[in-house]
Amino acid sequence: MSFYIGHEAPKLWRRICAETTTEINLLAENWKYILGGLIFQYIHGLGARGVHYLHRPGPTLQDTGYFLLPELGSDNAYISETVFTTIFLSFVLWTSHPFIFKTKKIYTVLIWCRVLAFLVACQFLRMLTFYSTQLPGPNYHCREGSKLATLPRPDSVLEVLLLNFPRGLLYGCGDLIFSSHMIFSLVFVRTYQKYGMLRFIKQCAWIAVIAQSFLIVASRKHYTVDVVVAWYTVNLVVFFVDKKLPELPDRTSAASLLPVSKDNKTKEENHKLLNGNTDPEDWRPRTQINGMIMEDGNAVHVEAAMNGV
């Protein structure tokens, strides 16, 4: 699939068309990986929903983080979710930035193939751990006396498969070790650390993840062990999986990924346009006559080297 980009089109629109064509071609080659990663997101949600049926409320376990951090309370639990949402949306916007900005190192489809591979590996390990041992949930809706702490026996398989979306995902219990929020946040931040270009944003991202770690414990959504295990497990998984995956192509030399066009020059122009090296509108025919560079029949520059002058 190709979009033909005219010279008279605005620069931003031409860049979006060029990026879209390239990403569609990449998606056609890698759609199986994207689809597999998305399907596993549903499987992970199904696993978290299933362990809720096994959850039995009980006294909150002794936790060092609970002694050190003051409890935010149910009314302020949204703070940690706000930080997580900010990290999540910021990463999604960053992976879409090649369509708008000239400076970029990544292809959106390829970066999400990589991210989904990290998420699948981490979530598979997470499901193994929380099905191995069910701990009494520390969250307010998981404690003794709450109607949501234990799910009644499902009336049908469909009730389980639909996950009671979105309430079933927001008010789950039993899927504790290790934190899913930390999985997403650490995978996103580590990915930007490697492929992002702004040092200030990298520093802010790590600060946000550290703050989220404390907020998750302070809001009593997880035990401290859930956060601690997430920190070393996710980083180790990303480190080893990343070594097994092929390195992302360098945009500045990946001309074969660019869209095919009507004339001979447009593909090279699109290559420049995609990578922000120059503006195609500055490409005008120039000829050289008697040491003078001519542009549209007019002399614009003279370089003379006469007798060493």
mmCIF file of all heavy atoms in Angstrom, residues 40 42 97 104 134 138 151 167 186 194 202 239 245 261 279:
data_model
loop_
_atom_site.group_PDB
_atom_site.id
_atom_site.type_symbol
_atom_site.label_atom_id
_atom_site.label_comp_id
_atom_site.label_asym_id
_atom_site.label_seq_id
_atom_site.Cartn_x
_atom_site.Cartn_y
_atom_site.Cartn_z
ATOM 1 N N PHE A 40 -2.618 -11.940 24.297
ATOM 2 C CA PHE A 40 -2.109 -12.310 25.619
ATOM 3 C C PHE A 40 -2.516 -11.283 26.669
ATOM 4 O O PHE A 40 -2.616 -11.637 27.857
ATOM 5 C CB PHE A 40 -0.588 -12.462 25.597
ATOM 6 C CG PHE A 40 -0.062 -13.205 26.791
ATOM 7 C CD1 PHE A 40 -0.015 -14.586 26.793
ATOM 8 C CD2 PHE A 40 0.350 -12.529 27.933
ATOM 9 C CE1 PHE A 40 0.444 -15.281 27.904
ATOM 10 C CE2 PHE A 40 0.819 -13.211 29.042
ATOM 11 C CZ PHE A 40 0.861 -14.588 29.032
ATOM 12 N N TYR A 42 -5.422 -10.053 26.858
ATOM 13 C CA TYR A 42 -6.725 -10.578 27.281
ATOM 14 C C TYR A 42 -6.555 -11.815 28.161
ATOM 15 O O TYR A 42 -7.244 -11.978 29.181
ATOM 16 C CB TYR A 42 -7.572 -10.912 26.059
ATOM 17 C CG TYR A 42 -8.828 -11.687 26.397
ATOM 18 C CD1 TYR A 42 -9.920 -11.040 26.974
ATOM 19 C CD2 TYR A 42 -8.909 -13.059 26.164
ATOM 20 C CE1 TYR A 42 -11.072 -11.743 27.305
ATOM 21 C CE2 TYR A 42 -10.053 -13.764 26.487
ATOM 22 C CZ TYR A 42 -11.127 -13.103 27.057
ATOM 23 O OH TYR A 42 -12.255 -13.800 27.391
ATOM 24 N N HIS A 97 5.021 9.787 17.906
ATOM 25 C CA HIS A 97 5.605 11.070 17.518
ATOM 26 C C HIS A 97 6.270 11.090 16.151
ATOM 27 O O HIS A 97 6.407 12.163 15.571
ATOM 28 C CB HIS A 97 6.606 11.535 18.591
ATOM 29 C CG HIS A 97 7.985 10.962 18.429
ATOM 30 N ND1 HIS A 97 8.316 9.698 18.871
ATOM 31 C CD2 HIS A 97 9.109 11.468 17.874
ATOM 32 C CE1 HIS A 97 9.585 9.465 18.603
ATOM 33 N NE2 HIS A 97 10.095 10.523 18.005
ATOM 34 N N LYS A 104 13.518 11.550 15.114
ATOM 35 C CA LYS A 104 13.022 10.283 15.627
ATOM 36 C C LYS A 104 14.025 9.172 15.350
ATOM 37 O O LYS A 104 14.847 9.261 14.442
ATOM 38 C CB LYS A 104 11.676 9.910 15.014
ATOM 39 C CG LYS A 104 11.664 9.867 13.497
ATOM 40 C CD LYS A 104 11.189 11.157 12.914
ATOM 41 C CE LYS A 104 10.970 11.076 11.418
ATOM 42 N NZ LYS A 104 10.446 12.316 10.869
ATOM 43 N N GLN A 134 -2.164 -17.697 46.915
ATOM 44 C CA GLN A 134 -3.110 -16.587 46.989
ATOM 45 C C GLN A 134 -2.981 -15.899 48.352
ATOM 46 O O GLN A 134 -3.176 -16.531 49.399
ATOM 47 C CB GLN A 134 -4.558 -17.061 46.800
ATOM 48 C CG GLN A 134 -4.876 -17.510 45.382
ATOM 49 C CD GLN A 134 -4.401 -18.915 45.089
ATOM 50 O OE1 GLN A 134 -4.674 -19.849 45.842
ATOM 51 N NE2 GLN A 134 -3.673 -19.078 43.995
ATOM 52 N N PRO A 138 -4.607 -6.497 50.208
ATOM 53 C CA PRO A 138 -4.579 -5.370 51.140
ATOM 54 C C PRO A 138 -5.462 -4.208 50.704
ATOM 55 O O PRO A 138 -5.706 -3.287 51.497
ATOM 56 C CB PRO A 138 -3.106 -4.951 51.112
ATOM 57 C CG PRO A 138 -2.655 -5.285 49.732
ATOM 58 C CD PRO A 138 -3.422 -6.520 49.333
ATOM 59 N N LEU A 151 -15.710 -13.365 44.930
ATOM 60 C CA LEU A 151 -16.683 -13.429 43.842
ATOM 61 C C LEU A 151 -17.545 -14.675 43.993
ATOM 62 O O LEU A 151 -17.037 -15.751 44.302
ATOM 63 C CB LEU A 151 -15.972 -13.466 42.492
ATOM 64 C CG LEU A 151 -15.225 -12.200 42.056
ATOM 65 C CD1 LEU A 151 -14.581 -12.423 40.696
ATOM 66 C CD2 LEU A 151 -16.175 -11.006 42.004
ATOM 67 N N ARG A 167 -15.365 -3.059 35.330
ATOM 68 C CA ARG A 167 -15.377 -3.146 36.794
ATOM 69 C C ARG A 167 -14.536 -4.311 37.289
ATOM 70 O O ARG A 167 -13.845 -4.204 38.310
ATOM 71 C CB ARG A 167 -16.822 -3.294 37.276
ATOM 72 C CG ARG A 167 -16.975 -3.238 38.791
ATOM 73 C CD ARG A 167 -18.452 -3.344 39.186
ATOM 74 N NE ARG A 167 -18.612 -3.318 40.630
ATOM 75 C CZ ARG A 167 -18.693 -2.222 41.367
ATOM 76 N NH1 ARG A 167 -18.597 -1.031 40.773
ATOM 77 N NH2 ARG A 167 -18.854 -2.277 42.670
ATOM 78 N N LEU A 186 7.697 0.050 34.135
ATOM 79 C CA LEU A 186 9.121 -0.233 33.960
ATOM 80 C C LEU A 186 9.455 -0.593 32.515
ATOM 81 O O LEU A 186 10.499 -0.184 31.998
ATOM 82 C CB LEU A 186 9.544 -1.368 34.899
ATOM 83 C CG LEU A 186 9.653 -0.988 36.374
ATOM 84 C CD1 LEU A 186 9.833 -2.226 37.240
ATOM 85 C CD2 LEU A 186 10.815 -0.018 36.592
ATOM 86 N N LYS A 194 16.244 3.509 26.266
ATOM 87 C CA LYS A 194 17.095 3.012 25.187
ATOM 88 C C LYS A 194 16.882 3.754 23.877
ATOM 89 O O LYS A 194 17.853 4.048 23.158
ATOM 90 C CB LYS A 194 16.848 1.515 24.976
ATOM 91 C CG LYS A 194 17.753 0.896 23.916
ATOM 92 C CD LYS A 194 17.578 -0.609 23.846
ATOM 93 C CE LYS A 194 18.537 -1.200 22.815
ATOM 94 N NZ LYS A 194 18.416 -2.687 22.745
ATOM 95 N N LYS A 202 13.927 11.322 30.194
ATOM 96 C CA LYS A 202 14.350 10.055 30.802
ATOM 97 C C LYS A 202 14.440 10.183 32.315
ATOM 98 O O LYS A 202 13.989 9.313 33.062
ATOM 99 C CB LYS A 202 15.697 9.624 30.231
ATOM 100 C CG LYS A 202 15.672 9.286 28.748
ATOM 101 C CD LYS A 202 17.060 8.907 28.250
ATOM 102 C CE LYS A 202 17.053 8.622 26.760
ATOM 103 N NZ LYS A 202 18.381 8.248 26.240
ATOM 104 N N PHE A 239 16.054 -7.198 30.092
ATOM 105 C CA PHE A 239 17.469 -7.311 29.733
ATOM 106 C C PHE A 239 17.730 -8.552 28.883
ATOM 107 O O PHE A 239 18.385 -8.486 27.834
ATOM 108 C CB PHE A 239 18.333 -7.345 31.002
ATOM 109 C CG PHE A 239 19.790 -7.559 30.750
ATOM 110 C CD1 PHE A 239 20.604 -6.517 30.332
ATOM 111 C CD2 PHE A 239 20.363 -8.817 30.937
ATOM 112 C CE1 PHE A 239 21.954 -6.724 30.089
ATOM 113 C CE2 PHE A 239 21.708 -9.023 30.707
ATOM 114 C CZ PHE A 239 22.511 -7.971 30.281
ATOM 115 N N LEU A 245 16.076 -10.467 20.879
ATOM 116 C CA LEU A 245 15.342 -9.833 19.782
ATOM 117 C C LEU A 245 16.303 -9.135 18.833
ATOM 118 O O LEU A 245 17.337 -8.621 19.252
ATOM 119 C CB LEU A 245 14.340 -8.817 20.334
ATOM 120 C CG LEU A 245 13.230 -9.372 21.228
ATOM 121 C CD1 LEU A 245 12.373 -8.237 21.771
ATOM 122 C CD2 LEU A 245 12.363 -10.365 20.463
ATOM 123 N N SER A 261 7.044 5.514 -5.077
ATOM 124 C CA SER A 261 6.302 6.644 -5.603
ATOM 125 C C SER A 261 6.359 6.672 -7.120
ATOM 126 O O SER A 261 6.979 5.830 -7.758
ATOM 127 C CB SER A 261 6.855 7.940 -5.009
ATOM 128 O OG SER A 261 8.224 8.035 -5.297
ATOM 129 N N ASP A 279 14.455 19.561 3.894
ATOM 130 C CA ASP A 279 13.106 19.845 3.439
ATOM 131 C C ASP A 279 13.020 19.614 1.942
ATOM 132 O O ASP A 279 13.753 20.246 1.178
ATOM 133 C CB ASP A 279 12.752 21.299 3.765
ATOM 134 C CG ASP A 279 11.291 21.601 3.478
ATOM 135 O OD1 ASP A 279 10.641 20.740 2.853
ATOM 136 O OD2 ASP A 279 10.828 22.682 3.878
#
